[in-house]
Amino acid sequence: SPATAGKLLVVPMEGSHWLSMKKALVELSKRGHEIVVVAPDNKILIDSSDVYKLKTYPVPYTKEDMEE
């Protein structure tokens, strides 16, 4: 194989970017990659999954502020 599975760090944006990225992460996980997703704790669409570890960090805005 020209490439081997490795570790990926993903810092996604909310919205359609994340929805498209999530599909790619599922496929990469199937191919043996270890994936860590880093997102703010006020995330709306970014959720936890069995295919990656989700790490969050604090931000000064609440989830309600983001939804508004």
Side-chain angles (χ1 to χ4, degrees), residues 4-53:
T4 58
K7 296 181 180 184
L8 298 172
L9 176 64
V10 180
V11 185
M13 295 174 54
E14 284 282 0
S16 61
H17 170 80
W18 169 246
L19 298 176
S20 299
M21 172 79 61
K22 190 173 180 181
K23 292 178 184 178
L25 296 181
V26 169
E27 187 60 36
L28 289 168
S29 175
K30 287 179 187 176
R31 296 178 185 203
H33 293 276
E34 184 180 334
I35 305 165
V36 175
V37 174
V38 180
D41 58 7
N42 65 354
K43 63 199 174 345
I44 297 171
L45 296 175
I46 303 169
D47 53 355
S48 58
S49 172
D50 293 339
V51 299
Y52 55 83
K53 287 184 180 179

